[in-house]
């Protein structure tokens, strides 16, 4: 019985265990099914993410490898850039990139040949069919103002039609036109092609530059060519320039011998080959073969040729000899020529063409004639638009090149040409040059009054006890004749650097900026910082250029400002460099051509506008035209350069290249900022000050026009109230940038960027502080301290000493561009501010006198010693450095001497 009881208990326990096991098994199965379902879902989501990522990667790679085809347009058909409907091989090999390849871009019009279809695509025709030269459309860029509103008369416009608007050449003349007439002068030894002088360079040149130039109708340039063994003087004079066709002009090329720079031995050059190049770059432009008389005769041209252009009309160019050298050998000065049909890029590379023509001439003679002589040939008599004229110039002596407009002269034959040319050459030209020189000097004295300016006698000014003055000031406390001459040279080189460009330009395409596109043709009329390397417009430089130009040629200054504002894009962005057309891109790496739509530049144009406005040279019509665009520009700054932090701004485009942080947009390229990039933490003091100043100036202009300026003034006051809170470092008693600073073995953290230099001075430089503000005193003390910013050449860009004490580790390092060297533009702003603050603060007044004198003495000393005005000056020795002649913002030395702020 007991066994049966035990058996029944076991059976009951087994049933319960089985039931529990079944429940556990069911629960496990459910959990396993749920887990499997979850994993399946996760796998599906992972596959979807991978698929989506692969699609994005394929799209990005395809975009990078096969970027969208863009419109390309330059000045002429077959200019070497293939249109989107032709292959590179077809463009380069089949058609040889010649005009008449049947392709006209959407920004060109093909004259006398096939036209683009209504859809804008290009029609293809046989390569041999000539459609002529494609003219650039002048109506692509809309005018900001009418001439009347801008205060620019028709007479002004006509007087500026011709000019030395090719500053990258030793002597380059052109018309202000989309399809211009261009002219230039080259030279070399008669028995050697190297060096062939054409592009302005200081290599092998002891000194060159304009010593007189009024920017409109007169200029005189001096060139001391050591390698060619000759001193040259170019004098450019216009006559009848108020004519709608531009009138006449003449260039006198005079030469005197000098010892060549040979190996330990000086030799004199007996003669040089002078090459005149003229091209009429228009579909209707023509230049005919020169007429060269078999026998030379007194008062007769050495050679002459005729040409035409829609802008200038018909014209004649004649080369007239000067006083004939006694005992000159027969045929010694015989002229030679070569004429051809040239495309724009060929015309803009005339020196390379000359070398090719010389080789062609030698091969044509079968090697029997090795002389450097043009072959007296016209390759296309009916369609030639370019000519080279070779003349022999024997120093001492001169040759006059005369351009005669048929709008002023009726030139029916050789007699009429000789008579008209004689009126603008020889003794007549000598008298005209003397008159224009006297007019320039008189006007210069009237405008700048340097002879009335006062200064510390150079004999009493001995900076630091070891740098005596260079003679800028006489014992009577007046500027010396040397200082006055420096002022004339500074003005002349600025005005002689005026440049006119027309053509397409290159912009990076959003959103990744990894492709570029050619933009519609635009015009640029600007001053150039330096003829050697920087012969184009720079937005940051231009405002400083115009501070001087507004005093001398206010109408021209308004003209320059209107051209810059004409480049403004619909969103308010202005490209910061003018790589417009093929001429300005020569010898510049292609990587620099591209302009990026989010990169800014300091809005210094407003400094020029302020000077025009305060000087009474800004007509209401002009202000009404420019004010809307300037407000758009301001809004673009606030939209694209805004930092995430409240009331803060940062320069876009800050990059690290070759271990160096560059903030090219700021204009202060390698000036030390935060050493760890953070879009959230960067706050740039100088940009903050520029934006505040924009509000202030635009409010002043708006008020003068009777417009509501309350919003601008309110924002200006708000920014000033945050200046101290955001950028004032109370510990070092200075204004500073803020950003992430990285140190060894530490995580980057946001803090003040500890440097004394130009950036820390911006609240003073732009006069954003009240004269009673206690923060002015420590700033002026740093500026006056010779251990910090004050040097014999002016204020250093960066102090050798750190605000925290000890050495500044960034001073004079790496590129050493804005890390200690002295720059005249910001020294000018410092003097302007000190002049104002000095009215109520003695320490500012004392610093103003010392700083002005130091700059004048050093710049005059360097000009006297080396013959150049320089880009920057060494803060230790005062030596001129970098580019020369740099009469861009360094020409502000004239306003410093004249105390015109």
């Amino acid at each position: 019985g007991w066994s049966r009881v035990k058996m029944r208990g076991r059976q009951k326990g087994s049933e319960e265990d089985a039931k529990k096991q079944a429940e556990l098994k069911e629960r496990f199965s459910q959990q396993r099914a749920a887990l499997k379902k979850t994993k399946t879902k996760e796998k599906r989501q992972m596959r979807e993410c991978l698929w989506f990522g692969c699609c994005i990667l394929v799209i990005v790679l395809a975009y990078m490898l096969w970027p969208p085809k863009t419109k390309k347009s330059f000045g002429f058909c077959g200019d070497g850039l293939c249109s989107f409907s032709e292959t590179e091989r077809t463009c380069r090999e089949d058609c040889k990139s010649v005009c008449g390849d049947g392709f006209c871009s959407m920004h060109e019009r093909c004259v006398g040949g096939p036209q683009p279809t209504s859809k804008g695509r290009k029609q293809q025709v046989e390569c041999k069919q000539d459609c002529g030269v494609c003219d650039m459309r002048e109506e692509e860029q809309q005018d900001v103002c009418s001439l009347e509103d801008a205060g620019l008369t028709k007479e002004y416009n006509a007087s500026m039609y011709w000019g030395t608007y090719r500053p990258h050449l030793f002597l380059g003349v052109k018309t202000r036109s989309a399809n211009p007439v261009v002219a230039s002068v080259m030279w070399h030894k008669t028995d050697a092609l190297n060096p062939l002088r054409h592009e302005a360079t200081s290599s092998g040149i002891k000194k060159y530059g304009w010593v007189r130039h009024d920017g409109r109708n007169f200029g005189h340039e001096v060139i001391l060519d050591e390698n060619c063994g000759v001193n040259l003087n170019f004098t450019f004079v216009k006559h009848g320039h108020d004519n709608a066709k531009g009138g006449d002009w003449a260039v006198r090329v005079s030469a005197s011998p000098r010892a060549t720079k040979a190996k330990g031995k000086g030799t004199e050059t007996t003669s040089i080959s002078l090459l005149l190049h003229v091209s009429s770059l228009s579909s209707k432009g023509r230049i005919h073969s020169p007429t060269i008389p078999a026998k030379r005769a007194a008062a007769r041209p050495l050679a002459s040729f005729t040409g035409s252009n829609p802008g200038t009309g018909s014209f004649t160019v004649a080369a007239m000899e000067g006083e004939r050298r006694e005992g000159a050998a027969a045929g010694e000065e015989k002229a030679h020529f070569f004429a051809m049909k040239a495309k724009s890029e060929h015309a803009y590379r005339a020196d390379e063409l000359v070398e090719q023509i010389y080789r062609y001439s030698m091969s044509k003679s079968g090697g029997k004639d090795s002389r450097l002589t043009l072959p007296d040939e016209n390759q296309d008599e009916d369609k030639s638009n370019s000519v080279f004229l070779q003349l022999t110039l024997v120093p001492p002596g001169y040759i006059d090149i005369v351009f005669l407009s048929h709008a002023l002269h009726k030139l029916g034959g050789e007699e009429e040409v000789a008579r008209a040319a004689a009126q603008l050459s020889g003794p007549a030209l000598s008298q005209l040059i003397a008159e224009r020189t006297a007019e320039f000097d008189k006007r210069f004295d009237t405008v700048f009054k340097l002879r009335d300016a006062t200064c510390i006698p150079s004999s009493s000014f001995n900076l630091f006890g070891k740098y005596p003055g260079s003679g800028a000031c006489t014992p009577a406390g007046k500027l010396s004749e040397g200082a006055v001459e420096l002022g004339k040279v500074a003005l002349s080189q600025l005005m002689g650097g005026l440049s006119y460009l027309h053509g397409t330009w290159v912009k990076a395409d959003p959103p990744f900026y990894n492709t570029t596109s050619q933009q519609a043709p635009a015009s640029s009329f600007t001053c150039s910082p330096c003829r050697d390397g920087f012969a184009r417009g720079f937005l940051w430089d231009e405002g400083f250029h115009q501070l001087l130009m507004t005093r001398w040629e206010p109408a021209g200054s308004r003209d320059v400002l209107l051209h810059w504002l004409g480049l403004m894009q619909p969103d308010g962005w202005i490209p910061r460099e003018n790589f417009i057309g093929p001429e300005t891109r020569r010898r510049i790496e292609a990587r620099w051509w591209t302009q990026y739509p989010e990169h800014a530049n300091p809005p210094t144009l407003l400094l020029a506008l302020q000077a025009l406005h305060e000087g009474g040279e800004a007509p209401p019509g002009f202000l009404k035209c420019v004010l809307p665009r300037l407000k758009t520009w301001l809004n673009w700054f606030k939209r694209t350069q805004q930092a995430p932090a409240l009331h803060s701004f940062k320069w876009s485009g800050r990059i690290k290249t070759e271990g160096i942080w560059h903030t090219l947009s700021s204009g202060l390229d390698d000036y030390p900022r935060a050493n760890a990039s953070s879009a959230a933490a960067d706050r740039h003091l100088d940009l903050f000050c520029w934006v505040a100043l924009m509000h202030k100036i635009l409010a002043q202009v708006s008020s003068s026009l009777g417009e509501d300026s309350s919003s601008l003034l309110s924002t200006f006051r708000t920014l000033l109230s945050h200046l101290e809170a955001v950028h004032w470092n109370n510990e070092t008693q200075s204004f500073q940038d803020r950003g992430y600073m990285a140190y060894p073995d530490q995580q980057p953290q946001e803090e003040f960027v500890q440097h004394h230099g130009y950036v820390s001075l911006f609240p003073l430089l732009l006069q954003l502080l009240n004269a009673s503000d206690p923060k002015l005193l420590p700033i002026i003390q740093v500026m006056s301290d010779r251990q910090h910013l004050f040097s014999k050449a002016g204020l250093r860009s960066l102090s050798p000493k750190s605000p925290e004490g000890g050495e500044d580790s960034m001073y004079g390092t790496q590129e050493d561009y804005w890390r200690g060297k002295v720059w005249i533009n910001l020294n000018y702003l410092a003097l302007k501010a000190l002049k104002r603050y000095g009215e109520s603060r003695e320490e500012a007044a004392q610093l103003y006198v010392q700083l002005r004198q130091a700059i004048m003495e050093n710049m005059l000393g360097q000009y006297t010693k080396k013959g150049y005005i320089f880009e920057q000056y060494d803060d230790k020795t005062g030596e001129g450095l970098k580019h020369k002649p740099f009469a861009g913002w360094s020409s502000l030395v004239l306003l410093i001497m004249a105390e015109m702020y």
Side-chain angles (χ1 to χ4, degrees), residues 73 108 157 223 266 366 410 466 566 612 656 740 745 767 819:
S73 60
E108 301 169 319
N157 212 34
I223 302 170
K410 293 183 179 181
K466 58 179 180 179
L612 285 169
K656 191 174 186 179
Y740 273 143
D745 302 325
Q767 302 179 46
R819 296 189 177 184

Side-chain angles (χ1 to χ4, degrees), residues 249-511:
W249 54 263
V251 170
R252 169 163 291 177
V253 184
S254 59
S256 60
R258 68 175 289 121
T260 57
K261 197 173 184 180
K263 296 180 180 179
K265 184 178 180 180
T267 59
E268 289 191 355
T269 297
T270 56
S271 63
I272 61 170
S273 278
L274 199 67
L275 293 157
L276 169 66
H277 171 239
V278 181
S279 287
S280 179
L281 302 180
S282 168
S283 61
K284 298 180 180 180
R286 295 291 181 267
I287 293 182
H288 306 291
S289 298
T291 299
I292 300 175
K295 293 184 179 181
R296 295 171 55 256
R300 295 284 183 172
L302 295 171
S304 65
F305 57 87
T306 60
S308 62
N309 182 278
T312 62
S314 298
F315 57 83
T316 295
V317 176
M320 306 292 288
E321 68 172 332
E323 296 179 4
R324 180 166 174 76
R325 185 172 63 88
E326 295 183 5
E332 186 181 43
E333 299 173 13
K334 176 176 171 51
H336 300 276
F337 78 94
F338 183 82
M340 61 182 291
K341 181 179 179 181
K343 299 179 295 178
S344 62
E345 67 271 21
H346 287 167
Y348 292 138
R349 296 174 178 266
D351 50 352
E352 295 176 4
L353 267 182
V354 165
E355 296 179 10
Q356 296 175 13
I357 295 169
Y358 279 150
R359 288 195 293 269
Y360 165 74
S361 180
M362 293 178 186
S363 65
K364 186 178 178 182
S365 68
K368 297 178 181 179
D369 190 353
S370 60
R371 292 179 302 170
L372 298 171
T373 306
L374 297 182
D376 294 327
E377 177 182 322
N378 191 333
Q379 288 195 327
D380 193 340
E381 185 65 48
D382 295 331
K383 298 178 181 179
S384 61
N385 66 345
S386 184
V387 67
F388 292 87
L389 184 63
Q390 183 180 22
L391 306 163
T392 301
L393 177 57
V394 182
Y398 67 84
I399 290 177
D400 294 334
I401 300 166
V402 183
F403 178 96
L404 301 171
S405 171
H406 290 194
L408 297 179
H409 308 277
K410 293 183 179 181
L411 305 176
E414 294 183 9
E415 293 290 338
E416 289 84 353
V417 170
R419 282 197 297 268
Q423 297 174 10
L424 205 54
S425 63
L429 182 57
S430 299
Q431 181 179 352
L432 186 57
I433 291 173
E435 291 174 358
R436 294 289 172 82
T437 303
E439 290 172 5
F440 176 92
D441 291 341
K442 181 179 179 180
R443 183 182 170 201
F444 181 88
D445 290 339
T446 302
V447 173
F448 298 106
K449 300 180 174 60
L450 289 189
R451 301 184 192 283
D452 297 332
T454 59
C455 52
I456 302 173
S458 297
S459 58
S460 303
F461 186 78
N462 195 355
L463 191 63
F464 307 154
K466 58 179 180 179
Y467 297 119
S470 61
C473 202
T474 67
K478 298 290 185 179
L479 290 176
S480 66
E481 287 299 320
V484 173
E485 180 63 22
L486 173 62
K488 291 179 180 179
V489 170
L491 173 66
S492 299
Q493 294 190 1
L494 177 74
M495 302 306 294
L498 281 169
S499 168
Y500 181 82
L501 302 170
H502 185 89
T504 59
W505 54 285
V506 184
K507 184 178 77 170
D509 299 322

Side-chain angles (χ1 to χ4, degrees), residues 403-639:
F403 178 96
L404 301 171
S405 171
H406 290 194
L408 297 179
H409 308 277
K410 293 183 179 181
L411 305 176
E414 294 183 9
E415 293 290 338
E416 289 84 353
V417 170
R419 282 197 297 268
Q423 297 174 10
L424 205 54
S425 63
L429 182 57
S430 299
Q431 181 179 352
L432 186 57
I433 291 173
E435 291 174 358
R436 294 289 172 82
T437 303
E439 290 172 5
F440 176 92
D441 291 341
K442 181 179 179 180
R443 183 182 170 201
F444 181 88
D445 290 339
T446 302
V447 173
F448 298 106
K449 300 180 174 60
L450 289 189
R451 301 184 192 283
D452 297 332
T454 59
C455 52
I456 302 173
S458 297
S459 58
S460 303
F461 186 78
N462 195 355
L463 191 63
F464 307 154
K466 58 179 180 179
Y467 297 119
S470 61
C473 202
T474 67
K478 298 290 185 179
L479 290 176
S480 66
E481 287 299 320
V484 173
E485 180 63 22
L486 173 62
K488 291 179 180 179
V489 170
L491 173 66
S492 299
Q493 294 190 1
L494 177 74
M495 302 306 294
L498 281 169
S499 168
Y500 181 82
L501 302 170
H502 185 89
T504 59
W505 54 285
V506 184
K507 184 178 77 170
D509 299 322
F512 303 113
Y513 302 113
N514 61 335
T515 61
T516 62
S517 59
Q518 299 285 338
Q519 302 302 300
S523 297
S524 166
F525 182 55
T526 67
C527 292
S528 304
C530 179
R531 295 169 62 189
D532 184 1
F534 295 139
R536 59 189 182 275
F538 288 77
L539 182 57
W540 140 248
D541 297 57
E542 195 66 66
F544 292 107
H545 300 163
Q546 296 312 306
L547 290 174
L548 177 53
M549 191 170 175
T550 54
R551 269 75 173 192
W552 178 257
E553 185 67 84
S557 189
R558 294 195 297 272
D559 199 357
V560 169
L561 292 180
L562 291 176
H563 274 83
W564 273 105
L565 293 179
L567 296 173
M568 180 179 288
Q569 302 301 291
D571 64 349
W573 170 64
I574 301 177
R576 68 187 190 92
E577 288 190 47
N578 282 352
F579 281 109
I580 294 177
E583 186 171 20
T584 187
R585 298 171 189 166
R586 189 185 181 192
R587 304 193 191 285
I588 303 296
E589 294 181 51
R591 65 191 179 102
W592 296 111
W593 299 355
T594 304
Q595 302 299 297
Y596 292 85
E598 290 192 355
H599 290 188
N601 235 190
T604 58
L605 295 184
L606 286 162
L607 297 176
L609 178 68
Q610 185 181 43
L612 285 169
H613 185 233
E614 294 177 351
E617 296 292 350
F622 169 75
L623 295 177
K624 289 179 180 178
C625 285
V626 302
L627 186 58
R629 294 209 177 200
L630 292 174
K631 288 182 177 179
T632 302
W633 196 21
L634 170 60
N635 291 331
W636 178 85
F637 264 95
K638 294 164 68 175
R639 184 176 65 255

